[in-house]
Amino acid sequence: MSIWYYADAERQRQGPFSGEELTGQFRDGRITPETLVWRDGLSEWQRLHDFVDELNLKDGHGADDNALPAAEPVASTADASPDASPYAPPMAIVAAEESFVAGHEVVHIGFWKRAAALFIDSMVVGFAYYIVMFIGMLVVGVGAFTMIGNDSTAGGAALVGMMGLIYLLYPVVSAAYYAGFESSSKQATLGKMAVGIKVVDRDGRRLSLKHALGRWLSAGLNYLTLYIGYLMAAFTDRKRGLHDMVAGTLVVDRWAYTAHPQWQVRGLGTVAKVILIVMGVLYGLMFLAIGAAILIPMAMQNQ
């Protein structure tokens, strides 16, 4: 016997139910053909409408109905609920562009949730950078030492090239990561997906690759303003950072501008809270270490 679950309007998983119990929920009007359901064996959440035959729902959703109404196309919703499949890790799946829906309330994302996403993204970009740098240095370094043995001038040029690789590789990796992910169908980097947010243009639509690259370049202004540009997301209208204002972008909940705006989350969410706690601990330890490195030698000199 299959065990079923369904996602309610608040994205909470309800169940488990037997097939007969789920059918009863449908006939009582508690769920509709568009309700997202899941059972063991499915790779993602699907509409109840897709299981008409399996659940014997052809008797209808009322006295006069003989079949379920045709369903309108909706976006892939592999994680319609934060808990989704009890066996699968949560994933932030964003509605595809063809399901864009305007005219509903939009939850704009403020500073702290964006900070949690940025922390994850910084770790990912840093990890990717060191991997690519290691491979690049290995290749260039071997070539440089080979050239040094034959031609010192060529070897010196190769070493200069290796230093250039070290300094220029990070922005290349960063640009490819942010622009690539934010212009993808997910509209979000891995960090943004983890906390359930995405990047859109002023009209709520998906960014082009060129637009996403422009947003990445605009983020450099935040460093020139000593991070004040990032802090602007805490108090500006529509929670925009300096780079959002320059690039004409918004950061919103992953369910904004979709067919399910009621699923937007206003609070931080569990993932963002955990990441912020980890950030606080790590930065606290870093400042303690710096303080100890300064104070301990001073104390030893005064003895």
Side-chain angles (χ1 to χ4, degrees), residues 28-48:
D28 290 341
R30 298 180 186 178
I31 56 178
T32 71
E34 293 304 306
T35 298
L36 297 169
V37 298
W38 182 90
R39 63 163 168 74
D40 192 19
L42 296 179
S43 60
E44 60 182 29
W45 289 73
Q46 298 183 28
R47 294 167 300 190
L48 181 62

PDB file of all heavy atoms in Angstrom, residues 28-48:
ATOM      1  N   ASP A  28     -13.746  15.387   0.097  1.00  0.00           N
ATOM      2  CA  ASP A  28     -14.261  16.295   1.114  1.00  0.00           C
ATOM      3  C   ASP A  28     -13.928  17.754   0.802  1.00  0.00           C
ATOM      4  O   ASP A  28     -14.337  18.657   1.527  1.00  0.00           O
ATOM      5  CB  ASP A  28     -13.679  15.944   2.489  1.00  0.00           C
ATOM      6  CG  ASP A  28     -14.230  14.619   3.005  1.00  0.00           C
ATOM      7  OD1 ASP A  28     -15.277  14.180   2.492  1.00  0.00           O
ATOM      8  OD2 ASP A  28     -13.607  14.026   3.910  1.00  0.00           O
ATOM      9  N   GLY A  29     -13.138  17.975  -0.259  1.00  0.00           N
ATOM     10  CA  GLY A  29     -12.796  19.340  -0.645  1.00  0.00           C
ATOM     11  C   GLY A  29     -11.610  19.917   0.087  1.00  0.00           C
ATOM     12  O   GLY A  29     -11.319  21.111  -0.034  1.00  0.00           O
ATOM     13  N   ARG A  30     -10.875  19.103   0.835  1.00  0.00           N
ATOM     14  CA  ARG A  30      -9.719  19.607   1.581  1.00  0.00           C
ATOM     15  C   ARG A  30      -8.515  19.819   0.670  1.00  0.00           C
ATOM     16  O   ARG A  30      -7.642  20.626   0.981  1.00  0.00           O
ATOM     17  CB  ARG A  30      -9.360  18.634   2.704  1.00  0.00           C
ATOM     18  CG  ARG A  30     -10.462  18.453   3.736  1.00  0.00           C
ATOM     19  CD  ARG A  30     -10.038  17.483   4.821  1.00  0.00           C
ATOM     20  NE  ARG A  30     -11.135  17.185   5.734  1.00  0.00           N
ATOM     21  CZ  ARG A  30     -11.057  16.339   6.757  1.00  0.00           C
ATOM     22  NH1 ARG A  30      -9.919  15.705   6.990  1.00  0.00           N
ATOM     23  NH2 ARG A  30     -12.102  16.121   7.532  1.00  0.00           N
ATOM     24  N   ILE A  31      -8.447  19.074  -0.403  1.00  0.00           N
ATOM     25  CA  ILE A  31      -7.384  19.245  -1.384  1.00  0.00           C
ATOM     26  C   ILE A  31      -8.007  19.328  -2.768  1.00  0.00           C
ATOM     27  O   ILE A  31      -9.151  18.911  -2.953  1.00  0.00           O
ATOM     28  CB  ILE A  31      -6.337  18.102  -1.318  1.00  0.00           C
ATOM     29  CG1 ILE A  31      -7.008  16.743  -1.500  1.00  0.00           C
ATOM     30  CG2 ILE A  31      -5.573  18.154  -0.018  1.00  0.00           C
ATOM     31  CD1 ILE A  31      -6.034  15.581  -1.502  1.00  0.00           C
ATOM     32  N   THR A  32      -7.245  19.866  -3.714  1.00  0.00           N
ATOM     33  CA  THR A  32      -7.752  20.092  -5.062  1.00  0.00           C
ATOM     34  C   THR A  32      -6.869  19.367  -6.074  1.00  0.00           C
ATOM     35  O   THR A  32      -5.809  18.843  -5.708  1.00  0.00           O
ATOM     36  CB  THR A  32      -7.756  21.591  -5.382  1.00  0.00           C
ATOM     37  OG1 THR A  32      -6.383  22.028  -5.546  1.00  0.00           O
ATOM     38  CG2 THR A  32      -8.431  22.391  -4.283  1.00  0.00           C
ATOM     39  N   PRO A  33      -7.259  19.362  -7.348  1.00  0.00           N
ATOM     40  CA  PRO A  33      -6.410  18.726  -8.360  1.00  0.00           C
ATOM     41  C   PRO A  33      -5.016  19.342  -8.459  1.00  0.00           C
ATOM     42  O   PRO A  33      -4.087  18.679  -8.890  1.00  0.00           O
ATOM     43  CB  PRO A  33      -7.195  18.949  -9.662  1.00  0.00           C
ATOM     44  CG  PRO A  33      -8.613  19.065  -9.230  1.00  0.00           C
ATOM     45  CD  PRO A  33      -8.574  19.771  -7.918  1.00  0.00           C
ATOM     46  N   GLU A  34      -4.873  20.615  -8.033  1.00  0.00           N
ATOM     47  CA  GLU A  34      -3.571  21.275  -8.123  1.00  0.00           C
ATOM     48  C   GLU A  34      -2.724  21.076  -6.879  1.00  0.00           C
ATOM     49  O   GLU A  34      -1.582  21.537  -6.824  1.00  0.00           O
ATOM     50  CB  GLU A  34      -3.766  22.767  -8.379  1.00  0.00           C
ATOM     51  CG  GLU A  34      -4.354  23.078  -9.750  1.00  0.00           C
ATOM     52  CD  GLU A  34      -3.511  22.476 -10.867  1.00  0.00           C
ATOM     53  OE1 GLU A  34      -2.303  22.742 -10.898  1.00  0.00           O
ATOM     54  OE2 GLU A  34      -4.063  21.748 -11.697  1.00  0.00           O
ATOM     55  N   THR A  35      -3.259  20.413  -5.850  1.00  0.00           N
ATOM     56  CA  THR A  35      -2.483  20.152  -4.638  1.00  0.00           C
ATOM     57  C   THR A  35      -1.287  19.276  -4.975  1.00  0.00           C
ATOM     58  O   THR A  35      -1.390  18.313  -5.729  1.00  0.00           O
ATOM     59  CB  THR A  35      -3.360  19.455  -3.588  1.00  0.00           C
ATOM     60  OG1 THR A  35      -4.440  20.313  -3.232  1.00  0.00           O
ATOM     61  CG2 THR A  35      -2.542  19.124  -2.342  1.00  0.00           C
ATOM     62  N   LEU A  36      -0.136  19.625  -4.398  1.00  0.00           N
ATOM     63  CA  LEU A  36       1.084  18.864  -4.646  1.00  0.00           C
ATOM     64  C   LEU A  36       1.144  17.667  -3.706  1.00  0.00           C
ATOM     65  O   LEU A  36       0.976  17.806  -2.494  1.00  0.00           O
ATOM     66  CB  LEU A  36       2.301  19.763  -4.446  1.00  0.00           C
ATOM     67  CG  LEU A  36       2.370  20.952  -5.418  1.00  0.00           C
ATOM     68  CD1 LEU A  36       3.438  21.934  -4.985  1.00  0.00           C
ATOM     69  CD2 LEU A  36       2.627  20.464  -6.835  1.00  0.00           C
ATOM     70  N   VAL A  37       1.393  16.479  -4.269  1.00  0.00           N
ATOM     71  CA  VAL A  37       1.432  15.245  -3.489  1.00  0.00           C
ATOM     72  C   VAL A  37       2.736  14.507  -3.761  1.00  0.00           C
ATOM     73  O   VAL A  37       3.413  14.736  -4.768  1.00  0.00           O
ATOM     74  CB  VAL A  37       0.227  14.340  -3.831  1.00  0.00           C
ATOM     75  CG1 VAL A  37      -1.086  15.019  -3.484  1.00  0.00           C
ATOM     76  CG2 VAL A  37       0.229  13.933  -5.306  1.00  0.00           C
ATOM     77  N   TRP A  38       3.049  13.602  -2.837  1.00  0.00           N
ATOM     78  CA  TRP A  38       4.272  12.807  -2.969  1.00  0.00           C
ATOM     79  C   TRP A  38       4.053  11.443  -2.326  1.00  0.00           C
ATOM     80  O   TRP A  38       3.329  11.312  -1.336  1.00  0.00           O
ATOM     81  CB  TRP A  38       5.445  13.514  -2.297  1.00  0.00           C
ATOM     82  CG  TRP A  38       6.750  12.776  -2.431  1.00  0.00           C
ATOM     83  CD1 TRP A  38       7.674  12.904  -3.422  1.00  0.00           C
ATOM     84  CD2 TRP A  38       7.275  11.780  -1.539  1.00  0.00           C
ATOM     85  NE1 TRP A  38       8.713  12.052  -3.225  1.00  0.00           N
ATOM     86  CE2 TRP A  38       8.499  11.344  -2.063  1.00  0.00           C
ATOM     87  CE3 TRP A  38       6.810  11.207  -0.347  1.00  0.00           C
ATOM     88  CZ2 TRP A  38       9.279  10.378  -1.449  1.00  0.00           C
ATOM     89  CZ3 TRP A  38       7.590  10.228   0.262  1.00  0.00           C
ATOM     90  CH2 TRP A  38       8.809   9.831  -0.280  1.00  0.00           C
ATOM     91  N   ARG A  39       4.672  10.442  -2.897  1.00  0.00           N
ATOM     92  CA  ARG A  39       4.730   9.107  -2.295  1.00  0.00           C
ATOM     93  C   ARG A  39       6.076   8.491  -2.617  1.00  0.00           C
ATOM     94  O   ARG A  39       6.803   8.954  -3.510  1.00  0.00           O
ATOM     95  CB  ARG A  39       3.602   8.212  -2.813  1.00  0.00           C
ATOM     96  CG  ARG A  39       3.651   7.937  -4.302  1.00  0.00           C
ATOM     97  CD  ARG A  39       2.792   6.735  -4.680  1.00  0.00           C
ATOM     98  NE  ARG A  39       2.604   6.622  -6.108  1.00  0.00           N
ATOM     99  CZ  ARG A  39       3.533   6.217  -6.972  1.00  0.00           C
ATOM    100  NH1 ARG A  39       4.756   5.927  -6.547  1.00  0.00           N
ATOM    101  NH2 ARG A  39       3.252   6.134  -8.274  1.00  0.00           N
ATOM    102  N   ASP A  40       6.424   7.447  -1.909  1.00  0.00           N
ATOM    103  CA  ASP A  40       7.684   6.763  -2.146  1.00  0.00           C
ATOM    104  C   ASP A  40       7.732   6.271  -3.588  1.00  0.00           C
ATOM    105  O   ASP A  40       6.767   5.689  -4.094  1.00  0.00           O
ATOM    106  CB  ASP A  40       7.827   5.578  -1.193  1.00  0.00           C
ATOM    107  CG  ASP A  40       9.240   5.010  -1.201  1.00  0.00           C
ATOM    108  OD1 ASP A  40      10.152   5.733  -1.634  1.00  0.00           O
ATOM    109  OD2 ASP A  40       9.420   3.855  -0.787  1.00  0.00           O
ATOM    110  N   GLY A  41       8.845   6.536  -4.252  1.00  0.00           N
ATOM    111  CA  GLY A  41       8.984   6.151  -5.646  1.00  0.00           C
ATOM    112  C   GLY A  41       8.940   7.325  -6.598  1.00  0.00           C
ATOM    113  O   GLY A  41       9.351   7.207  -7.751  1.00  0.00           O
ATOM    114  N   LEU A  42       8.452   8.488  -6.119  1.00  0.00           N
ATOM    115  CA  LEU A  42       8.425   9.695  -6.949  1.00  0.00           C
ATOM    116  C   LEU A  42       9.709  10.491  -6.726  1.00  0.00           C
ATOM    117  O   LEU A  42      10.184  10.604  -5.593  1.00  0.00           O
ATOM    118  CB  LEU A  42       7.214  10.569  -6.601  1.00  0.00           C
ATOM    119  CG  LEU A  42       5.828   9.965  -6.863  1.00  0.00           C
ATOM    120  CD1 LEU A  42       4.745  10.956  -6.444  1.00  0.00           C
ATOM    121  CD2 LEU A  42       5.656   9.576  -8.322  1.00  0.00           C
ATOM    122  N   SER A  43      10.239  11.054  -7.785  1.00  0.00           N
ATOM    123  CA  SER A  43      11.465  11.837  -7.670  1.00  0.00           C
ATOM    124  C   SER A  43      11.192  13.264  -7.214  1.00  0.00           C
ATOM    125  O   SER A  43      12.099  13.959  -6.775  1.00  0.00           O
ATOM    126  CB  SER A  43      12.199  11.869  -9.017  1.00  0.00           C
ATOM    127  OG  SER A  43      11.376  12.463 -10.011  1.00  0.00           O
ATOM    128  N   GLU A  44       9.938  13.720  -7.343  1.00  0.00           N
ATOM    129  CA  GLU A  44       9.593  15.072  -6.946  1.00  0.00           C
ATOM    130  C   GLU A  44       8.100  15.145  -6.652  1.00  0.00           C
ATOM    131  O   GLU A  44       7.342  14.230  -6.947  1.00  0.00           O
ATOM    132  CB  GLU A  44       9.933  16.066  -8.058  1.00  0.00           C
ATOM    133  CG  GLU A  44       9.203  15.800  -9.353  1.00  0.00           C
ATOM    134  CD  GLU A  44       9.591  16.779 -10.449  1.00  0.00           C
ATOM    135  OE1 GLU A  44      10.726  17.267 -10.435  1.00  0.00           O
ATOM    136  OE2 GLU A  44       8.749  17.035 -11.320  1.00  0.00           O
ATOM    137  N   TRP A  45       7.687  16.259  -6.046  1.00  0.00           N
ATOM    138  CA  TRP A  45       6.273  16.491  -5.781  1.00  0.00           C
ATOM    139  C   TRP A  45       5.545  16.712  -7.102  1.00  0.00           C
ATOM    140  O   TRP A  45       6.078  17.358  -8.010  1.00  0.00           O
ATOM    141  CB  TRP A  45       6.097  17.705  -4.872  1.00  0.00           C
ATOM    142  CG  TRP A  45       6.537  17.463  -3.472  1.00  0.00           C
ATOM    143  CD1 TRP A  45       7.813  17.360  -3.022  1.00  0.00           C
ATOM    144  CD2 TRP A  45       5.701  17.290  -2.329  1.00  0.00           C
ATOM    145  NE1 TRP A  45       7.841  17.135  -1.674  1.00  0.00           N
ATOM    146  CE2 TRP A  45       6.549  17.088  -1.217  1.00  0.00           C
ATOM    147  CE3 TRP A  45       4.321  17.292  -2.138  1.00  0.00           C
ATOM    148  CZ2 TRP A  45       6.055  16.885   0.059  1.00  0.00           C
ATOM    149  CZ3 TRP A  45       3.828  17.094  -0.853  1.00  0.00           C
ATOM    150  CH2 TRP A  45       4.689  16.894   0.221  1.00  0.00           C
ATOM    151  N   GLN A  46       4.338  16.169  -7.205  1.00  0.00           N
ATOM    152  CA  GLN A  46       3.540  16.300  -8.420  1.00  0.00           C
ATOM    153  C   GLN A  46       2.112  16.666  -8.060  1.00  0.00           C
ATOM    154  O   GLN A  46       1.683  16.515  -6.912  1.00  0.00           O
ATOM    155  CB  GLN A  46       3.562  14.997  -9.223  1.00  0.00           C
ATOM    156  CG  GLN A  46       4.962  14.598  -9.697  1.00  0.00           C
ATOM    157  CD  GLN A  46       4.952  13.345 -10.539  1.00  0.00           C
ATOM    158  OE1 GLN A  46       3.964  13.037 -11.196  1.00  0.00           O
ATOM    159  NE2 GLN A  46       6.052  12.612 -10.521  1.00  0.00           N
ATOM    160  N   ARG A  47       1.361  17.119  -9.073  1.00  0.00           N
ATOM    161  CA  ARG A  47      -0.034  17.494  -8.842  1.00  0.00           C
ATOM    162  C   ARG A  47      -0.902  16.262  -8.638  1.00  0.00           C
ATOM    163  O   ARG A  47      -0.687  15.216  -9.255  1.00  0.00           O
ATOM    164  CB  ARG A  47      -0.547  18.296 -10.030  1.00  0.00           C
ATOM    165  CG  ARG A  47       0.126  19.640 -10.210  1.00  0.00           C
ATOM    166  CD  ARG A  47      -0.201  20.219 -11.548  1.00  0.00           C
ATOM    167  NE  ARG A  47       0.255  19.348 -12.632  1.00  0.00           N
ATOM    168  CZ  ARG A  47       0.272  19.698 -13.909  1.00  0.00           C
ATOM    169  NH1 ARG A  47      -0.134  20.883 -14.257  1.00  0.00           N
ATOM    170  NH2 ARG A  47       0.688  18.859 -14.834  1.00  0.00           N
ATOM    171  N   LEU A  48      -1.897  16.400  -7.803  1.00  0.00           N
ATOM    172  CA  LEU A  48      -2.849  15.320  -7.585  1.00  0.00           C
ATOM    173  C   LEU A  48      -3.519  14.926  -8.897  1.00  0.00           C
ATOM    174  O   LEU A  48      -3.884  13.769  -9.099  1.00  0.00           O
ATOM    175  CB  LEU A  48      -3.896  15.763  -6.560  1.00  0.00           C
ATOM    176  CG  LEU A  48      -4.978  14.741  -6.185  1.00  0.00           C
ATOM    177  CD1 LEU A  48      -4.355  13.515  -5.543  1.00  0.00           C
ATOM    178  CD2 LEU A  48      -6.004  15.374  -5.262  1.00  0.00           C
TER     179      LEU A  48
END
